[in-house]
Amino acid sequence: MLRLLKLELGKIFKPVITTTAILTVLTCILTCVLQRDYTVYFHIDAWEIGTEYIALLFPLFVTIPVCWQLYYERRDRFIVYTLPRISKQKYLSIKWAACALSGFCILFIPYVMSLLCALYVVTPANVLPPHDKYSHFLLTLYVQFPLIYGLLLSAWKALLGVLTMTFGFVLALFSRNIFVILTAPFVYVILENFILASLSSASLDLATYRFVTAFEPTCKEYINLGSFIFGPVLMCLVIGAIILYYTKVKRQAIYTI
């Protein structure tokens, strides 16, 4: 099992390590540079400022480097040649595990490295003491234990990245269009964000339940437990609906001989 996992990781190692390295360097640079144009209250503020762009583009970061490989295995019929050696379920499970681990690292490592830069490298240019009405998500943890706060939030974001990658992975199991496979998760997050924000009203703040709010809870002043649950659950339902559509409606097989 471990040997097979290493083999699958090796197939996508180069694009994954390249993406992770680029994101790490970019987030560290932005964390060090962008805070100069802001007034910050704590050192960890530089981390939030330098990683803002990831909240918009993360579906592309966790999908493009990993999901292309399964598409080409299906297109070239390589996946069929694995049948005499390993069961379908086991092979696809190991492949998903490799993609999930890669997707997790693509987000977690850059976030953690930029967090360390913000806490131990950056010297904020303009630091002011917080006023009496200062508020923030998990304020006590954010102020008193910023490292723990950053590690927990980084791990949570990486897990949502794995879920988003799974969206692309499922499409790669059935779709014959590489463009759809690699961009559909990004388009979904954008559309879901737009639709829920548009439907929000004074009595029902649906923007609180967007997937991007679960990924970046600091983007909303008032959040609740549903803010972390609704978006991921909705994506799981969409993924399930895609599987049912391809298997029950189109009756399309993953392994085609």
Side-chain angles (χ1 to χ4, degrees), residues 8-22:
E8 292 301 321
L9 287 172
K11 294 178 182 179
I12 54 177
F13 176 78
K14 288 183 178 179
V16 169
I17 197 66
T18 301
T19 303
T20 304
I22 292 174

Side-chain angles (χ1 to χ4, degrees), residues 17 35 39 66 72 80 125 130 137 184 201 226-227:
I17 197 66
Q35 54 84 26
T39 297
V66 297
Y72 281 105
V80 176
F137 169 68
S201 62
S227 302

Side-chain angles (χ1 to χ4, degrees), residues 4 7 33 36 45 51 53 73 77 89 97 104 111 120 145 149 168 192 225 237 241:
L4 293 176
L7 288 174
V33 174
R36 297 173 185 173
D45 290 347
T51 57
Y53 74 98
E73 281 197 1
R77 299 184 183 276
Q89 184 177 2
F104 186 92
Y111 267 113
Y120 305 112
F145 306 99
Y149 170 90
E192 186 248 27
L225 183 61
L237 293 176

Side-chain angles (χ1 to χ4, degrees), residues 26 89 187 230 249:
L26 185 59
Q89 184 177 2
V187 173
F230 185 84
V249 179

